[in-house]
Amino acid sequence: MNECVFIILGATGDLTKRKLIPAIYKLIKNKKIEKFAIIGVASSPTDINTIIENSKEFISEKKIDINVINSLKNNSYYYRLNFYNTSEYQDLKKLIEQVELKHSLVCNKIFYFATLPEHFKILTENLAKHKIVEKHESTHQCSKCKHPWSRIVYEKPFGKDLKSAKEINKCISKLFYEKQIYRIDHYLGKELVGDIAIARFTNTIFEPLWNNKYIESVNITLSEKIGIEGRGKFYDEYGAIKDIIQNHALQILALIAMEQPKTLTAQDVRDVKSKVFKKVKIEKTTLGQYEGYTQEQNVNPESKTETFAAIKLYINNKRWKNVPFFIKTGKFLDKKESLITITFKQIKCLLPEHCPTDSNKLIIKIEPDEGFYLELNAKVPGRTYQTTPVIMNFCHSCLFGPNTPAAYENLLYDVINGDQFAFVRSDEIELSWKIVEQIDKSKLKLYKYRKGSTGVN
Ligand code: BG6
């Protein structure tokens, strides 16, 4: 039976209302968790019912199940904590114990750090110091259950640069086992991102072609129609490279480019992903900022932060030598689209005329229209040598229905089950920071682009 207490640190933030509460709602509704309690923790004065009420509009259901909402409310608590005041942690500990007792939940805990990374260290140290989270590998014995666990989830971005990421890693690795640590990247919880490794290594047709002999280029596009959504303070400090490329885009890149792991399990997959990161060399970077960005709330009027970035990189190993990888991401672009395009090399033309100009493409659409799309050349009907591009598709929602779990639901479920496959290991985090630190922004021009355009070309 799945049961646990969720302790959400940073419970008044956007992430809690937009993603975490809706994900827990779905876990309850879909009976993936039978017994639970939530303790929201943050520094502002509020109450848990307000947090739950505010999250209702983000629950993607036509009709919200009032029983689940009531169950959420009846099992949730709020604790106001100044993260930097050590004397306030003792009462948090007491509250957790009381809640556990009241709901007969003496075993498992998820500590979710939904805060900015600058608080990760102090929070971790204080939770450990007050023995609120303890270092153990699910072997701890207690009177009511055999294998209780405490798992700690760190939201992205993990650090604000390589130096801070190393400091956080150093701090948390002293206090916990890596097995207890879940560095989240919600793209890894998306169905089609999860499908990359599965498709590559459970089908015979991909691996023989998955190299520089047959692949011309790889494009990863993560474009967004929305802007910075009131997150001026955060965004202005981070920008597109740190907000999207260091994590989401590079994780996708690693899944596409990695060698075959020994097994499709967390440890082996993380090993091959980090080998990719070691070989990445950025060749070219283009940065843009949408018009009007510097007038956004909490943004420096002189800001040079990029809201658009396009990168060309190479992976210097045998498989990918000379294959360019292009990553593009931006805010306020013409459409919301997350996709990977693998363009294959042109084949030698054997037709007497009308040689096809289109090469084969495998498009993995993360969203919208989730699925795999394979672009081939086929014959135009009739007695002709002419070809036309056609698409063979695997439309995810047509096959599995529209209600597949959202990323955070998948990932929280993985944490409950102790599966780290879709989470990022310490070395991967540091290597990916190293990659983006190859970019020296001070040497690059920042182009302006119009909202609703395709960004900088
Ligand atoms: C988050 C970024 O990690 O991902 C946001 O901080 C961005 O700026 C979001 O909007 C995009 O996620 P999704 O799932 O909407 O593509």
Side-chain angles (χ1 to χ4, degrees):
M1 177 155 111
N2 278 333
E3 57 167 82
C4 77
V5 181
F6 298 92
I7 297 117
I8 304 177
L9 303 137
T12 48
D14 250 25
L15 184 77
T16 305
K17 74 169 180 215
R18 282 175 192 267
K19 304 287 184 188
L20 300 182
I21 300 288
I24 298 172
Y25 169 98
K26 283 285 177 72
L27 289 174
I28 303 165
K29 178 99 200 267
N30 297 332
K31 305 213 172 353
K32 290 184 183 161
I33 179 150
E34 284 90 7
K35 274 173 76 183
F36 74 98
I38 301 174
I39 302 177
V41 181
S43 56
S44 332
T46 184
D47 60 84
I48 200 71
N49 283 351
T50 309
I51 296 175
I52 294 171
E53 277 300 317
N54 290 343
S55 71
K56 270 161 72 177
E57 63 174 296
F58 300 102
I59 296 173
S60 58
E61 272 194 343
K62 280 202 191 98
K63 196 169 175 302
I64 293 187
D65 187 334
I66 194 68
N67 293 327
V68 179
I69 294 292
N70 286 341
S71 151
L72 269 171
K73 288 186 177 170
N74 294 336
N75 291 276
S76 299
Y77 304 82
Y78 182 73
Y79 183 75
R80 191 174 171 195
L81 174 75
N82 172 353
F83 299 162
Y84 292 82
N85 186 352
T86 45
S87 67
E88 294 181 13
Y89 283 79
Q90 216 41 49
D91 283 345
L92 171 61
K93 188 177 181 180
K94 277 192 207 139
L95 175 65
I96 297 173
E97 285 165 1
Q98 282 162 9
V99 169
E100 287 181 317
L101 217 60
K102 182 168 170 200
H103 296 273
S104 312
L105 281 163
V106 287
C107 296
N108 309 323
K109 297 182 203 60
I110 294 179
F111 292 84
Y112 199 115
F113 284 53
T115 69
L116 283 176
E118 66 215 42
H119 305 304
F120 285 1
K121 260 179 72 185
I122 192 76
L123 265 170
T124 307
E125 280 165 358
N126 278 322
L127 291 173
K129 186 170 152 197
H130 292 89
K131 297 199 174 349
I132 298 173
V133 195
E134 291 191 68
K135 181 172 184 170
H136 66 76
E137 282 189 288
S138 321
T139 49
H140 215 62
Q141 296 288 324
C142 77
S143 54
K144 289 221 177 147
C145 64
K146 275 199 187 130
H147 302 290
W149 44 257
S150 287
R151 296 180 181 141
I152 309 105
V153 184
Y154 293 94
E155 183 51 48
K156 70 141 279 260
F158 190 89
K160 66 174 193 324
D161 50 22
L162 176 61
K163 185 169 171 276
S164 57
K166 276 187 168 170
E167 280 168 11
I168 303 168
N169 271 336
K170 196 169 161 204
C171 158
I172 65 180
S173 65
K174 265 197 229 142
L175 300 171
F176 312 121
Y177 291 109
E178 182 70 27
K179 267 194 173 172
Q180 290 178 269
I181 303 168
Y182 291 73
R183 295 175 195 79
I184 218 163
D185 181 318
H186 79 277
Y187 264 67
L188 295 177
K190 291 184 188 260
E191 282 299 328
L192 266 291
V193 176
D195 232 348
I196 299 172
I198 307 288
R200 277 188 65 190
F201 300 114
T202 61
N203 295 295
T204 37
I205 61 165
F206 293 121
E207 266 321 277
L209 302 179
W210 214 257
N211 53 55
N212 58 3
K213 190 165 173 208
Y214 297 102
I215 292 180
E216 180 73 33
S217 65
V218 177
N219 281 262
I220 298 167
T221 305
L222 304 178
S223 74
E224 293 189 88
K225 245 182 137 153
I226 57 166
I228 57 171
E229 304 256 282
R231 297 191 303 157
K233 190 172 173 300
F234 161 81
Y235 198 87
D236 208 32
E237 209 187 312
Y238 285 78
I241 292 175
K242 292 183 178 182
D243 186 36
I244 300 281
I245 295 186
Q246 182 271 335
N247 33 76
H248 306 325
L250 287 182
Q251 282 297 321
I252 293 172
L253 174 95
L255 290 169
I256 293 288
M258 69 191 186
E259 295 301 313
Q260 179 170 324
K262 278 193 214 118
T263 63
L264 279 173
T265 54
Q267 181 67 18
D268 292 339
V269 171
R270 289 159 153 206
D271 284 348
V272 285
K273 272 161 68 192
S274 58
K275 281 190 183 145
V276 173
F277 291 142
K278 287 186 186 146
K279 298 289 177 189
V280 171
K281 179 89 190 74
I282 294 183
E283 167 136 322
K284 191 174 174 219
T285 306
T286 307
L287 301 179
Q289 189 185 74
Y290 63 78
E291 287 167 359
Y293 171 74
T294 49
Q295 280 101 60
E296 296 272 14
Q297 206 185 2
N298 296 324
V299 165
N300 177 354
E302 306 284 306
S303 177
K304 296 276 176 275
T305 299
E306 77 289 352
T307 59
F308 171 95
I311 285 179
K312 178 182 181 188
L313 61 85
Y314 285 95
I315 299 169
N316 289 322
N317 61 17
K318 206 168 144 217
R319 186 191 284 263
W320 297 112
K321 195 162 191 283
N322 297 328
V323 179
F325 284 72
F326 300 94
I327 295 175
K328 176 177 140 176
T329 186
K331 296 276 185 199
F332 272 133
L333 296 183
D334 56 339
K335 54 184 160 199
K336 168 73 184 165
E337 193 171 64
S338 305
L339 55 84
I340 306 155
T341 308
I342 319 272
T343 306
F344 290 88
K345 294 202 164 158
Q346 281 274 4
I347 195 164
K348 185 177 166 216
C349 181
L350 305 177
L351 294 172
E353 54 182 348
H354 302 307
C355 282
T357 50
D358 291 278
S359 27
N360 301 141
K361 287 193 182 76
L362 173 66
I363 300 167
I364 303 171
K365 278 203 165 196
I366 300 166
E367 65 210 324
D369 309 324
E370 290 86 339
F372 281 56
Y373 299 80
L374 183 60
E375 203 176 301
L376 305 168
N377 290 305
K379 194 174 83 61
V380 169
R383 310 308 304 154
T384 168
Y385 285 119
Q386 229 170 319
T387 63
T388 184
V390 294
I391 292 180
M392 276 170 60
N393 72 2
F394 149 50
C395 154
H396 194 271
S397 64
C398 311
L399 199 62
F400 299 118
N403 291 325
T404 47
Y408 278 91
E409 183 187 346
N410 279 334
L411 293 173
L412 280 180
Y413 190 59
D414 286 347
V415 179
I416 293 169
N417 286 301
D419 183 353
Q420 293 185 308
F421 183 94
F423 295 83
V424 186
R425 202 169 57 189
S426 57
D427 55 336
E428 288 179 73
I429 286 277
E430 293 181 13
L431 288 163
S432 51
W433 275 116
K434 246 188 198 164
I435 294 172
V436 296
E437 290 192 0
Q438 290 176 27
I439 302 166
D440 182 354
K441 288 207 252 175
S442 66
K443 296 210 171 94
L444 297 171
K445 187 169 165 16
L446 184 70
Y447 296 91
K448 290 276 179 200
Y449 64 92
R450 262 184 317 102
K451 284 182 186 174
S453 69
T454 53
V456 182
N457 292 306

